[in-house]
């Protein structure tokens, strides 16, 4: 299963275009359940209130997640107080364990805002592999994080607990590829899922834009249900 997930994520889509260079293709006016999104058989617990929880399941090594990141970040800003946004770094085998631990260490230290994009850049632009603990610790130290503080947190029981929770959430949300988005503890979609059923999107950027439109519709539906 882990190999299948890596293959799904590792196959680049040819003709990648920047968001600024293409017009967003139109998503269905009303995304269809079982086509552009699915409903979980059991709703997961989410924070109370009018805000809608949105969770992205991703991996640092994943080229599609890296490509989705800037568009998703902008979408989150536009949603503003409508949503509570969270990220979950997936479990994807021993070679990805150090990257997953990096994410949760940055999260525990309150440094995700400063270093999340840098971690993506280290892998996809600087071609670092991040396949072992020492490489990650060395990168973090060179990036400006105090070595002892980072290392202690990296190896802490707290981070280990977050790794176990991530694996449990993958099972709860039926995550089998990434990037993958869960909305309001009940709706799930992704760029590949959102482009089923007649989408005209051809490039990866266009597919991601369609996914964001589907996500807009699902957030609106969830907010309406909360009233």
């Amino acid at each position: 299963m882990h190999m299948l997930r890596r293959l799904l994520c590792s196959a680049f889509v040819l003709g990648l275009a920047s968001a600024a260079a293409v017009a967003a293709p139109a998503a269905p006016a009303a995304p269809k359940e079982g086509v552009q999104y699915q409903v979980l058989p059991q709703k997961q617990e989410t924070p109370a209130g009018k805000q809608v929880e949105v969770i992205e399941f991703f991996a640092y090594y994943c080229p599609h997640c890296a490509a989705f990141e800037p568009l998703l970040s902008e979408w989150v800003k536009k949603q503003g107080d409508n949503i509570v946004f969270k990220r979950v770094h997936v479990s994807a085998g021993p070679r990805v364990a150090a990257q997953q631990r990096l994410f949760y260490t940055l999260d525990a230290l309150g440094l995700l805002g400063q270093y999340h994009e840098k971690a993506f850049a280290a892998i996809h632009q600087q071609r670092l592999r991040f396949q072992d603990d020492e490489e990650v610790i060395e990168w973090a130290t060179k990036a400006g994080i105090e070595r002892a503080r980072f290392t202690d947190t990296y190896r802490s029981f707290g981070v280990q607990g977050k790794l176990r929770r991530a694996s449990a959430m993958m099972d709860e949300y039926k995550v089998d590829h990434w990037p993958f988005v869960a909305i309001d503890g009940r709706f799930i979609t992704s760029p590949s899922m959102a482009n089923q059923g007649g989408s005209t999107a051809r490039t990866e950027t266009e597919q991601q834009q369609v996914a964001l439109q589907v996500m807009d519709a699902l957030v609106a539906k969830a907010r309406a249900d909360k009233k």
Side-chain angles (χ1 to χ4, degrees):
M1 179 62 73
H2 287 153
M3 178 61 73
L4 175 59
R5 290 171 179 165
R6 287 195 292 272
L7 290 173
L8 284 168
C9 186
S10 298
F12 280 95
V13 178
L14 296 178
L16 180 63
S18 69
V22 294
K32 294 182 180 179
E33 178 183 343
V35 183
Q36 286 85 24
Y37 72 96
Q38 297 179 10
V39 177
L40 290 172
Q42 181 175 348
K43 187 181 186 303
Q44 302 302 308
E45 290 188 10
T46 60
K50 294 184 178 180
Q51 289 180 305
V52 176
E53 183 183 73
V54 178
I55 304 174
E56 182 207 16
F57 292 84
F58 83 102
Y60 276 137
Y61 82 91
C62 169
H64 304 306
C65 299
F68 195 35
E69 176 62 26
L71 291 176
L72 179 61
S73 294
E74 188 62 28
W75 179 85
V76 170
K77 290 178 182 177
K78 289 180 179 179
Q79 284 290 333
D81 292 337
N82 289 333
I83 67 171
V84 175
F85 180 67
K86 302 177 181 178
R87 290 185 175 90
V88 173
H89 194 299
V90 299
S91 304
R95 291 188 176 185
V96 185
Q99 297 175 24
Q100 187 187 27
R101 193 175 286 272
L102 166 62
F103 172 78
Y104 286 110
T105 300
L106 294 174
D107 185 34
L109 292 173
L111 296 175
L112 270 179
Q114 185 176 351
Y115 289 96
H116 184 63
E117 292 183 6
K118 292 180 180 179
F120 270 122
I123 295 173
H124 297 282
Q125 297 175 24
Q126 301 164 26
R127 303 301 180 187
L128 300 180
R129 298 176 68 81
F130 283 2
Q131 289 186 355
D132 62 72
D133 297 339
E134 188 55 40
E135 184 182 10
V136 169
I137 292 170
E138 187 65 23
W139 173 82
T141 302
K142 290 181 178 179
I145 306 174
E146 199 274 318
R147 186 183 185 93
R149 180 179 177 227
F150 182 88
T151 303
D152 287 348
T153 306
Y154 186 85
R155 302 188 187 283
S156 68
F157 288 114
V159 167
Q160 187 61 40
K162 289 177 182 290
L163 302 182
R164 290 193 295 269
R165 179 58 185 145
S167 295
M169 290 182 70
M170 290 178 68
D171 291 336
E172 292 165 359
Y173 283 92
K174 314 299 182 186
V175 179
D176 59 3
H177 64 281
W178 39 85
F180 183 101
V181 178
I183 295 174
D184 196 36
R186 55 185 172 137
F187 306 128
I188 54 176
T189 191
S190 68
S192 58
M193 193 184 304
N195 281 272
Q196 299 182 41
S199 169
T200 60
R202 289 179 172 81
T203 69
E204 184 167 21
T205 297
E206 290 175 335
Q207 291 174 8
Q208 291 167 350
Q209 290 169 332
V210 169
L212 295 176
Q213 293 175 58
V214 171
M215 289 161 58
D216 279 333
L218 294 176
V219 168
K221 176 175 174 58
R223 281 177 55 81
D225 292 344
K226 286 177 175 286
K227 294 181 179 179

